[in-house]
Amino acid sequence: MANAMTCEVAVVGAGFGGIGMGVGLRRAGITDFVIFDRGGDVGGVWRDNTYPGCSCDVPSHLYSFSFAPYRSRRTRFPRQSEILEYLRQVAADHGLAPHLRLGTAIDEATYLEDQGGWELTTSDGQRVFARVVIFAVGQLHRPNVPDIAGRADFAGPSFHSARWDHGQNLCGVDVAVIGTGSSAAQMLPTLAETARHVRVFQRTPHWVLPKPPADFGPLARMALRLPGAHRLYRRALYYGADVVLAPIMRRGWSARPAEWAARWYLRSRIEDPRLRAKLTPDYPLGGKRIIFDSDYYSTLTRDNVELVTAPIARITRDGLLTTDGAHHRADVIIYATGFRAPEFLVPITVRGRGGVLLHDQWRSGATALLGVAVPGFPNAFLIAGPNSFNPAGSNPGMKECQIDYIIRCLRWRDRIGAATIEVRASAMRTHQEWIERAVAKTVWPATGPSWYKHDSGRVTNPWPASARTFDRAMRRPPSESFGTVPSDPATPDRKHPKRVKWTRKSAPSVQSEEPTVIPAE
């Protein structure tokens, strides 16, 4: 391992997961860690998405870390620039700058059995040896650009919403927007004000619910001056999402009232019955990500905006041809087509014990214990891994649960004197069986293609229960699911990064358990 960088922990990704993990490591007394990110700044998805109107549909007070809670009395829903600035501030306040290696992509990660650690290879060929690797690249980081016939023939500018071309002047031109998800809904009002004509190409309609104003009113601002008001409001949002929104995914008590509200909202905003029929989904509310937006429907009724529902046959030099034979002229094409979310960790090549490729194991859909760990990959952890996306609440909160769990796993590993630990295959099987039973009770299996699903049909991304259920599951002792590895190298006389000295700020203590050896499989 000569000439290689060494560290105790390597974190891949500097979005909410990576920044939160860095703070968790420092609070636990671990300072020998590096956070890698391919981008030139922290922020992840909030760094990459700069399209007009980009914002979050989760309230600011809930869309923040518990150790750095949002305290503004101005903004109810955070805009992209505000979230990015928040993450920059968290990184600065917690001294993460010396640990950041920005502009450095990780291409490969290989477990070295004779050394009990991971060798990472960067895009510029540098090697890094880490005892532990934590992948915090998230789920919404790889733009999905559909392979439509003739795409390369288009003569004008075209780009994905997550790769917005700010050099393009859209004033007075014809714009084609492919896709009708949250990104399209958010950018459409600005495009309609700027472009000569906007055509929105819809494959599947989405359920839409109105979104409260982005900023607090004067009464709310006064209320938030009261002692403890911010904390109370955050708790109310957390429990409200869990009690009201989460049951929608399982056709629980709130599903029918919520769907009635969505239908009423559609009727109240769209008078034209033909347009209203085009915008009415044929799947249950929650089957795809719900759009929270108060301007989308009204923008679709503008004279210079047109909704096209005929499938796209091909892209031509100057527009798009649909299957009904119509040609739709376009000067610019914007792909608001989401992300390749089910392709976890792509394009990183990850090799575990015995040289097993992680993506070979995930060929029919990714799986991981609580979205955190995979058998056969010792000392490797995930943040926001398979089936850990919360479609009805705060994902920074879900990531915090995973961060705390990873810290406790590392703490337990050091206390039992092991160099490496790994989730047991039996624990993984039990967990996956539960996931499949829980998913079967949701609206997702019966809904068509979405970024919640792998091409195989397996639901790989969302968590199929409440946030409180996830929190309780993450509080279990690591020894219930993890064990040491049979080939674990002896640690006393090996040269490797120094062992962790835990501080009082570390994760809660766990009961004393005997290590369980993972059988060779």
Side-chain angles (χ1 to χ4, degrees):
M1 202 54 60
N3 301 321
M5 176 194 297
T6 63
C7 58
E8 176 69 22
V9 181
V11 181
V12 183
F16 263 98
I19 295 301
M21 191 72 241
V23 174
L25 290 169
R26 284 187 62 88
R27 289 166 64 90
I30 304 176
T31 58
D32 186 16
F33 67 91
V34 180
I35 302 175
F36 298 92
D37 196 287
R38 60 174 175 79
D41 196 357
V42 301
V45 66
W46 298 109
R47 173 199 62 219
D48 295 343
N49 286 266
T50 59
Y51 59 83
C54 182
S55 63
C56 184
D57 56 12
V58 177
S60 304
H61 280 73
L62 191 58
Y63 203 79
S64 58
F65 292 120
S66 64
F67 58 80
Y70 184 82
R71 285 287 187 265
S72 172
R73 290 180 287 107
R74 181 178 66 86
T75 304
R76 178 186 281 113
F77 290 97
R79 300 164 181 87
Q80 174 267 335
S81 59
E82 294 168 323
I83 300 173
L84 181 57
E85 184 55 36
Y86 169 80
L87 286 171
R88 289 170 176 164
Q89 193 63 51
V90 171
D93 290 347
H94 291 270
L96 297 186
H99 302 276
L100 293 171
R101 298 295 183 273
L102 301 176
T104 305
I106 299 298
D107 287 348
E108 296 185 8
T110 302
Y111 179 65
L112 306 179
E113 297 191 45
D114 61 332
Q115 300 190 50
W118 288 83
E119 182 184 51
L120 311 181
T121 305
T122 67
S123 55
D124 58 4
Q126 182 182 13
R127 294 187 303 158
V128 180
F129 178 78
R131 179 66 58 199
V132 176
V133 63
I134 300 169
F135 296 101
V137 298
Q139 299 185 11
L140 305 178
H141 67 287
R142 297 191 68 224
N144 174 44
V145 178
D147 189 17
I148 302 173
R151 182 160 57 90
D153 298 334
F154 185 66
S158 62
F159 48 88
H160 191 275
S161 59
R163 301 292 184 266
W164 194 267
D165 186 350
H166 291 275
Q168 293 299 325
N169 183 3
L170 302 180
C171 183
V173 303
D174 290 342
V175 177
V177 177
I178 301 177
T180 53
S182 293
S183 298
Q186 290 178 358
M187 72 175 71
L188 189 58
T190 301
L191 292 178
E193 291 285 348
T194 304
R196 177 174 57 193
H197 195 92
V198 181
R199 290 181 176 87
V200 182
F201 291 80
Q202 172 185 278
R203 184 181 66 173
T204 307
H206 288 259
W207 289 104
V208 180
L209 286 169
K211 183 178 179 179
D215 295 327
F216 289 114
L219 291 179
R221 294 183 187 186
M222 290 180 59
L224 288 172
R225 290 180 179 273
L226 298 174
H230 288 281
R231 180 179 299 179
L232 179 62
Y233 179 54
R234 179 185 173 104
R235 290 180 65 84
L237 290 171
Y238 174 83
Y239 285 106
D242 235 27
V243 172
V244 178
L245 295 181
I248 292 175
M249 317 304 164
R250 303 187 297 277
R251 301 302 291 170
W253 75 270
S254 57
R256 191 182 296 274
E259 189 166 313
W260 178 88
R263 290 183 184 278
W264 172 86
Y265 180 60
L266 175 59
R267 287 195 302 271
S268 67
R269 292 294 184 270
I270 304 295
E271 295 181 358
D272 182 353
R274 291 177 299 178
L275 179 58
R276 192 163 60 234
K278 292 179 180 180
L279 292 168
T280 302
D282 62 358
Y283 57 87
L285 182 74
K288 297 177 185 285
R289 188 76 190 270
I290 301 171
I291 296 177
F292 290 90
D293 195 282
S294 297
D295 299 317
Y296 179 54
Y297 284 156
S298 59
T299 304
L300 287 173
T301 64
R302 289 176 57 115
D303 292 339
N304 68 328
V305 177
E306 178 185 357
L307 182 70
V308 180
T309 58
I312 300 171
R314 65 176 294 106
I315 294 175
T316 67
R317 180 175 175 80
D318 60 350
L320 297 90
L321 182 68
T322 50
T323 56
D324 58 0
H327 183 267
H328 307 274
R329 188 183 179 282
D331 299 308
V332 178
I333 297 177
I334 299 172
Y335 294 94
T337 44
F339 300 88
R340 301 169 69 174
E343 298 179 0
F344 291 87
L345 299 190
V346 174
I348 305 172
T349 300
V350 183
R351 298 182 182 87
R353 283 197 292 129
V356 173
L357 286 169
L358 179 58
H359 289 104
D360 282 350
Q361 290 195 186
W362 284 353
R363 187 164 292 151
S364 60
T367 59
L369 179 79
L370 294 167
V372 166
V374 181
F377 296 82
N379 279 7
F381 300 92
L382 303 166
I383 297 175
N387 292 115
S388 65
F389 176 85
N390 184 355
S394 170
N395 278 285
M398 301 286 279
K399 292 170 184 176
E400 271 199 80
C401 290
Q402 293 176 320
I403 290 165
D404 290 344
Y405 186 73
I406 292 169
I407 292 294
R408 287 192 290 121
C409 286
L410 298 180
R411 191 167 186 260
W412 174 71
R413 177 204 64 168
D414 275 20
R415 189 165 52 76
I416 65 176
T420 53
I421 58 172
E422 179 184 325
V423 63
R424 296 194 298 272
S426 58
M428 182 66 234
R429 283 193 296 270
T430 300
H431 171 72
Q432 193 58 32
E433 288 169 0
W434 179 87
I435 285 286
E436 291 174 2
R437 290 195 301 271
V439 164
K441 298 176 183 177
T442 69
V443 296
W444 303 318
T447 303
S450 74
W451 67 263
Y452 288 172
K453 287 182 175 181
H454 185 266
D455 290 342
S456 65
R458 172 181 281 174
V459 176
T460 54
N461 293 70
W463 172 250
S466 67
R468 287 171 296 168
T469 300
F470 189 78
D471 180 63
R472 287 193 296 269
M474 299 302 294
R475 291 180 183 274
R476 295 170 183 163
S479 62
E480 287 190 6
S481 304
F482 283 78
T484 58
V485 180
S487 58
D488 189 6
T491 58
D493 58 352
R494 295 198 68 87
K495 294 181 179 180
H496 57 71
K498 61 185 179 182
R499 308 300 291 172
V500 176
K501 183 178 180 180
W502 297 92
T503 69
R504 295 177 64 184
K505 288 185 177 181
S506 59
S509 61
V510 294
Q511 298 178 353
S512 176
E513 306 102 348
E514 292 298 320
T516 306
V517 175
I518 301 172
E521 295 184 280

